[in-house]
Amino acid sequence: MKDTPISYYGSTDPLPAQISLRAGNLSAIYENGFLRYISQGQTEVVRMIYHAIRDHNWDTMSTRIENENIRVEKDHFAITYDCICEEKDIRFSWKCRIEGSETGQISFEIAGTAGSSFRKNRLGFCVLHPPETCSGEACKLIHPDGSSSESSFPEAISPHQPFKNIRQMQWQPKGGQPAAITFEGDIFETEDQRNWTDASYKTYCTPLEISFPAEVTQGQTVFQRVTLHVEGSDTETRLPDTSIEIAVHPDRLPLPFPQIGIARASERHRLSVGEIITLRRVGFHLYHVSLRLSDPGWQEQLAEAAGEAHSMGCSLYLSVFWGENPEEELPEFEAGISRFSSRIKAILVLSEKQKTTSKKLIREVFTSLRKLFPGIELGAGTDGYFTDINRNRPAMHRPDFLAYSLNPQVHAFDNTTLTENLSIQGTTVTNARSFAGGKPIYVGPVTLRPRREAGATPGKLPARFDARQFSLFGAGWTLGSLKYLAEAGASAISCYETVDVFGVMAGSRISDMARMAGIAEGAVFPVYILLRNLLSVKNGKIIPASSSQPLRAEAICISGEGTNLLAIASYSGEKETIQLKGIPASVKTWVMDAENYDRLHLLAEQPTGAEATFATADTVVELPPYGIRFLWF
């Protein structure tokens, strides 16, 4: 078997094998001990059934599978395996059994034993429900005491748990037959994971109102079972994914292309002249800089950042964290920014102690800043997740914009889940607009992993490091992120950092972290090439584009002065054939793939599209594994 190029997704390890299963009228995918995409015909009923161990810090523990036995028949299956956890102070093992019957029923049971004493926040099953087929649908809940209640899957993102105290759920997914899922071994409840840009509602074990973390003692046993049954005799087999259609919709209302920003490097600061020149070629609109007024060096940081922003040709977007007494910090802050005020486009007002901008902070800061600096936009929101502003919505009558950041890896970390979650980024923008009072939505920084961590270990890569930052998949994921955020109407999007392991390029001075990650000095990452091509379209408008297979390929289309650009990203390890609709047959095209990955630093010095050639191929193009194809027309 040929080794996986590291350019694909930052690792040479193969992705987990996927095995197709049938249980009467149901189909499913078995992957790495879990079930995905349980469907009846073409209707997805359940997105995923899995089990997890989360410690007292909500960290998800890694596991390994042993003694796996898989028996697959035409219309039924049986799988058994042992699941072993040996991480930190946790020693725990599950005996797992999954069965699918000819009658359209699937059961998944786990029997676990603790090999050590530890503290946990969660131990057992989670079931994910797809918003595409569940949103707005009625759901009957059967409770542990035998009583029942009527509810529905929320359409708007629910700030809090929509379903509680569950023993069984009964619902009918859009386009499907009535379904029921029964839970045994614990009490379950449901949260809306779209709050964290996960593409699911999640029904999980042990209600959060029960005190946690909870003690697990050595020798303690846990048993849980989840049973799914779907009515009907539909035995239609899922059609194989033989084609992908990308359609551009010029008849739909175009949207302004968002202001695109880049965040200042968190690990080292001052940029070299060469780095600034390379970054200037991208054409970023905003330079996103975080300042903590409790930091005695914030004025020096601002002065350096202002100079870099000027040299890169972009405006400053400041996230400013205020302390407990903002009125005492105001005079120094106003004096500190006064000589740079012409370079500052926006200031996001944040608190060091609270997750969101409070009414009190708005009252204490906004009046003075607006009086002295009327040309600067002032925003409210959070440096954290959408869920923070959804649960504690800032007062929006005085702010000029509402802001939040995002990343796709709060609950799961595999490529497939990251791709699934892309569409929900747009959903958060739509929901934010509903309570922003008509004000613009600023999103960012957008990163692959959470940016906050405690207790980083010297000599080791930090937990927020993700090798996909340097990969073709990382660039393709970014394309999807920009597409969904922009098509939902985000006004500004800042993403990643300038240089180093969290940046769009390595930079001219290799850090210890970059060296540990195997990054070469001067390396340019695929995401840099993506952003440079997208931002090369001047005065662009977003033209809506759609994909018939968004888990395999996605596209963004920009129309600007003298040119249109369609960029298509592959999320597949196979060569794909793409059917195009809504663009001319004659296009200028270039593809970024594993073949030119090692010379992207040279391409960064050339005009965008310098290697493109004209093609007239029946509106059909090939997309190499994890490649990104650019088409100018």
Side-chain angles (χ1 to χ4, degrees):
M1 180 179 176
K2 187 178 179 181
D3 289 341
T4 302
I6 199 166
S7 61
Y8 282 2
Y9 44 82
S11 172
T12 57
D13 295 336
L15 297 178
Q18 293 188 335
I19 299 173
S20 297
L21 306 173
R22 295 286 298 176
N25 61 353
L26 300 180
S27 63
I29 297 293
Y30 174 73
E31 179 185 281
N32 203 30
F34 303 148
L35 293 181
R36 305 186 87 131
Y37 308 125
I38 302 175
S39 303
Q40 183 184 57
Q42 297 302 300
T43 301
E44 187 179 358
V45 180
V46 168
R47 179 142 292 172
M48 195 172 185
I49 303 177
Y50 68 101
H51 48 85
I53 301 174
R54 303 189 73 177
D55 72 2
H56 61 287
N57 290 321
W58 287 108
D59 291 334
T60 300
M61 298 296 98
S62 59
T63 59
R64 70 176 186 274
I65 291 176
E66 296 181 353
N67 304 318
E68 187 176 44
N69 185 280
I70 302 172
R71 183 169 59 87
V72 178
E73 305 295 341
K74 181 180 178 181
D75 58 359
H76 62 282
F77 64 88
I79 300 170
T80 59
Y81 62 90
D82 299 333
C83 184
I84 314 298
C85 175
E86 295 176 341
E87 186 174 359
K88 298 182 180 179
D89 63 339
I90 296 177
R91 301 292 179 270
F92 199 89
S93 60
W94 298 105
K95 294 284 187 183
C96 306
R97 184 174 186 83
I98 313 174
E99 292 184 332
S101 72
E102 303 93 328
T103 60
Q105 178 169 292
I106 292 176
S107 66
F108 195 157
E109 64 181 47
I110 50 177
T113 303
S116 65
S117 297
F118 58 91
R119 291 185 300 159
K120 62 89 177 178
N121 286 351
R122 182 161 299 150
L123 185 66
F125 274 123
C126 297
V127 176
L128 305 185
H129 313 269
E132 295 85 348
T133 59
C134 292
S135 175
E137 297 302 307
C139 183
K140 181 178 181 180
L141 306 174
I142 309 299
H143 305 294
D145 63 2
S147 64
S148 64
S149 60
E150 302 289 339
S151 189
S152 61
F153 288 95
E155 295 184 272
I157 301 175
S158 177
H160 303 289
Q161 285 75 3
F163 308 147
K164 290 189 173 184
N165 200 27
I166 305 168
R167 189 186 74 193
Q168 186 183 77
M169 304 171 68
Q170 300 173 8
W171 78 104
Q172 185 168 348
K174 292 182 179 72
Q177 301 295 318
I181 190 164
T182 304
F183 304 92
E184 301 174 63
D186 203 341
I187 299 172
F188 287 72
E189 66 183 21
T190 303
E191 69 183 8
D192 195 334
Q193 286 204 130
R194 297 176 298 172
N195 277 295
W196 298 272
T197 69
D198 289 68
S200 60
Y201 311 96
K202 179 172 70 179
T203 300
Y204 55 88
C205 60
T206 313
L208 293 181
E209 61 191 28
I210 295 177
S211 179
F212 63 87
E215 294 291 334
V216 177
T217 58
Q218 185 175 4
Q220 182 176 336
T221 59
V222 177
F223 176 83
Q224 292 180 17
R225 181 189 292 123
V226 171
T227 305
L228 171 71
H229 180 75
V230 183
E231 295 180 12
S233 58
D234 181 3
T235 57
E236 176 191 355
T237 302
R238 270 198 162 198
L239 296 174
D241 294 329
T242 56
S243 65
I244 304 173
E245 181 181 279
I246 298 290
V248 176
H249 304 284
D251 55 320
R252 298 182 187 175
L253 184 67
L255 291 164
F257 188 70
Q259 296 271 295
I260 302 297
I262 188 77
R264 196 166 195 230
S266 56
E267 297 301 323
R268 67 174 179 83
H269 292 301
R270 186 173 296 172
L271 296 169
S272 70
V273 172
E275 290 165 346
I276 287 175
I277 291 172
T278 305
L279 289 164
R280 185 183 178 93
R281 292 192 186 108
V282 178
F284 290 111
H285 307 110
L286 303 173
Y287 193 27
H288 195 161
V289 180
S290 293
L291 299 174
R292 294 184 179 273
L293 300 186
S294 60
D295 183 345
W298 73 262
Q299 290 164 312
E300 182 182 353
Q301 294 172 29
L302 174 61
E304 290 180 356
E308 291 168 346
H310 176 73
S311 298
M312 286 191 292
C314 52
S315 301
L316 282 169
Y317 169 28
L318 303 180
S319 290
V320 180
F321 293 82
W322 300 75
E324 293 182 355
N325 299 299
E327 66 279 0
E328 297 177 6
E329 296 171 317
L330 259 172
E332 185 179 14
F333 179 71
E334 291 170 347
I337 69 169
S338 60
R339 64 190 177 108
F340 307 115
S341 60
S342 63
R343 300 179 190 171
I344 301 172
K345 173 181 172 56
I347 297 174
L348 173 58
V349 175
L350 299 168
S351 167
E352 285 196 337
K353 300 296 184 181
Q354 298 173 302
K355 289 184 177 181
T356 60
T357 311
S358 66
K359 292 180 180 179
K360 179 175 182 292
L361 185 57
I362 291 173
R363 186 169 59 249
E364 292 173 334
V365 170
F366 274 52
T367 300
S368 180
L369 288 181
R370 202 178 296 283
K371 181 178 179 180
L372 288 174
F373 310 106
I376 297 176
E377 298 175 17
L378 302 178
T382 182
D383 188 51
Y385 301 106
F386 171 80
T387 189
D388 296 324
I389 58 169
N390 199 26
R391 291 176 175 175
N392 188 16
R393 299 177 179 182
M396 290 303 297
H397 59 286
R398 298 182 70 184
D400 298 310
F401 64 92
L402 177 65
Y404 59 96
S405 69
L406 63 82
N407 77 84
Q409 296 189 77
V410 177
H411 299 106
F413 321 104
D414 59 284
N415 289 358
T416 301
T417 299
L418 266 63
T419 306
E420 281 177 5
N421 292 350
L422 284 168
S423 65
I424 302 303
Q425 295 185 19
T427 305
T428 64
V429 172
T430 301
N431 277 250
R433 292 174 67 188
S434 72
F435 56 81
K439 307 295 177 66
I441 306 299
Y442 281 30
V443 181
V446 175
T447 54
L448 286 177
R449 282 189 181 271
R451 292 176 291 122
R452 306 285 179 258
E453 64 175 320
T457 304
K460 290 188 176 181
L461 289 165
R464 66 189 183 106
F465 169 81
D466 192 321
R468 287 171 289 198
Q469 183 85 24
F470 330 124
S471 72
L472 293 164
F473 175 85
W477 184 89
T478 305
L479 180 152
S481 174
L482 294 175
K483 171 240 175 52
Y484 282 105
L485 292 172
E487 289 188 1
S491 295
I493 306 166
S494 58
C495 48
Y496 309 123
E497 298 180 3
T498 50
V499 295
D500 218 289
V501 295
F502 309 117
V504 297
M505 62 186 202
S508 57
R509 293 164 290 170
I510 288 294
S511 69
D512 290 340
M513 282 196 304
R515 195 170 288 109
M516 280 189 286
I519 299 170
E521 182 179 301
V524 166
F525 308 148
V527 67
Y528 172 96
I529 302 295
L530 169 75
L531 292 170
R532 188 177 172 202
N533 276 294
L534 296 182
L535 270 63
S536 70
V537 182
K538 302 306 178 185
N539 297 318
K541 298 279 188 182
I542 291 290
I543 306 299
S546 60
S547 170
S548 62
Q549 302 285 346
L551 294 184
R552 291 168 59 200
E554 195 50 274
I556 185 171
C557 186
I558 308 170
S559 177
E561 291 181 0
T563 189
N564 300 307
L565 172 62
L566 175 66
I568 308 171
S570 170
Y571 305 127
S572 162
E574 306 294 330
K575 186 168 84 170
E576 301 283 10
T577 299
I578 310 294
Q579 303 278 340
L580 301 176
K581 289 186 65 177
I583 70 169
S586 179
V587 297
K588 189 178 181 183
T589 183
W590 175 74
V591 67
M592 177 168 58
D593 61 7
E595 297 299 318
N596 53 33
Y597 177 83
D598 290 331
R599 55 189 181 91
L600 294 180
H601 62 290
L602 299 175
L603 297 174
E605 300 175 4
Q606 300 178 10
T608 55
E611 291 202 347
T613 58
F614 279 97
T616 55
D618 301 322
T619 64
V620 175
V621 295
E622 299 294 332
L623 203 55
Y626 297 102
I628 299 180
R629 183 169 288 280
F630 300 93
L631 302 104
W632 292 267
F633 58 96

